[in-house]
Amino acid sequence: MTIQTVGIIGAGTMGNGIAQACAVSGIDVVMVDISDAAVQKGLATVAGSLDRLIKKEKISAADKDAALARIKTSTSYDDLKAAQLVIEAATENYELKLKILKQVEAIVAPEVLIASNTSSISITKLAAATSRADRFIGMHFFNPVPMMALVEIIRGLQTSDATHDAVKALAEALGKSPITVKNAPGFVVNRILVPMINEAFFVLAEGLATPEDIDAGMKLGCNQPIGPLALADMIGLDVCLAVMDVYLTEFGDSKYRPCPLLKEMVAAGRLGRKTGRGVYTY
């Protein structure tokens, strides 16, 4: 199956980023959200992002116009009928995603593929709730989508080879570098990343080094663009804690226990950049 039109549910940060990546690569997009204001805001974000690419001389003004012309915005799921693949990019909430998937299924043709951009919810579990489990898959894009090369393609237990191959080909057509992952909590990247951040909090709590020196050590010693504590502030300490709690519950392994200092900082409301204070003050 060749995917020429992609439906995207959600015009927020991830949704509009995926829409931009598709449109710039010559793929038609139908971007759906609950209100006209939401889809227009998403479209404005894409336009602003393309303007920055023009300034950097990565694309021309004609390229921008052509990309924007490929994005159709809508508040009706009926407009998803034109798509060969629908990507759900709504909030990380199982019940909400389930509701959306049921609505999509009722409208699109049986052969249409459905993907979720979830970063934490089981693809196998979501697939099982649909009537096309073999045509359901995870497509985990990374933020900011237009800049980040990686897409984790997550196979549920039921995902067919044909579905996997079609979605992988699409990711490559978008200029991305996909990796194929089996379904498991955190998939690959976050499974390694978040425990590393948690370990940085243990190092900080033990007073082994200052936050600045911990981050400098990981940047200079492991060539990371940003230290783990600064990254935690960017992600949100509450998000890091929630992910560790999921790992501890799902795997039942004490190596995933959240650092007490991380829990303490979340309890204090020091969640990082979004609250003006986390490990660092902003």
Side-chain angles (χ1 to χ4, degrees), residues 59 82 85 95-96 103 109 119 153 178 181 257:
I59 63 168
L85 167 71
E95 298 304 330
L96 174 67
Q103 287 175 283
S119 58
I153 297 177
V181 181
R257 73 199 184 286

Side-chain angles (χ1 to χ4, degrees), residues 3 21-22 50 90 107 116 131 134 155 170 179 195 205-206 233 255 276 278:
I3 297 166
C22 290
L50 294 172
I107 286 165
S116 175
S131 59
D134 61 321
R155 297 187 71 141
L170 172 71
I179 62 169
E206 289 164 26
D233 277 353
K255 76 177 180 181

Side-chain angles (χ1 to χ4, degrees), residues 12 23 40 47 50 66 74-75 78 82 88 93 95 100 113 134 145-146 158 195 197 201 214 262 272:
Q40 290 310 320
L50 294 172
S74 174
T75 54
D78 281 337
E88 169 276 309
N93 177 303
E95 298 304 330
I100 288 168
L113 308 180
D134 61 321
V145 177
Q158 318 92 316
I197 289 171
F201 274 93
I214 293 167
L262 176 60

Side-chain angles (χ1 to χ4, degrees), residues 1-3 6 18 22 27 84-87 111-117 134-141 151-155 159-181:
M1 174 192 276
T2 306
I3 297 166
V6 172
I18 298 166
C22 290
I27 289 161
Q84 292 87 45
L85 167 71
V86 175
I87 302 172
E111 66 273 11
V112 172
L113 308 180
I114 300 179
S116 175
N117 178 54
D134 61 321
R135 290 185 293 288
F136 190 89
I137 199 163
M139 266 190 110
H140 180 211
F141 289 85
V151 180
E152 283 183 317
I153 297 177
I154 303 108
R155 297 187 71 141
T159 306
S160 71
D161 289 343
T163 299
H164 167 268
D165 295 348
V167 168
K168 186 180 180 211
L170 172 71
E172 288 167 345
L174 301 184
K176 303 299 184 192
S177 301
I179 62 169
T180 300
V181 181

Side-chain angles (χ1 to χ4, degrees), residues 24 46 70 92 143 170 212 219 230 241 246 253 265 270 278:
V24 165
V46 174
R70 290 189 193 101
E92 283 293 280
N143 191 22
L170 172 71
E212 291 80 3
K219 281 164 70 178
L241 176 59
V246 167
D253 188 331
M265 290 177 76
R270 295 182 185 175

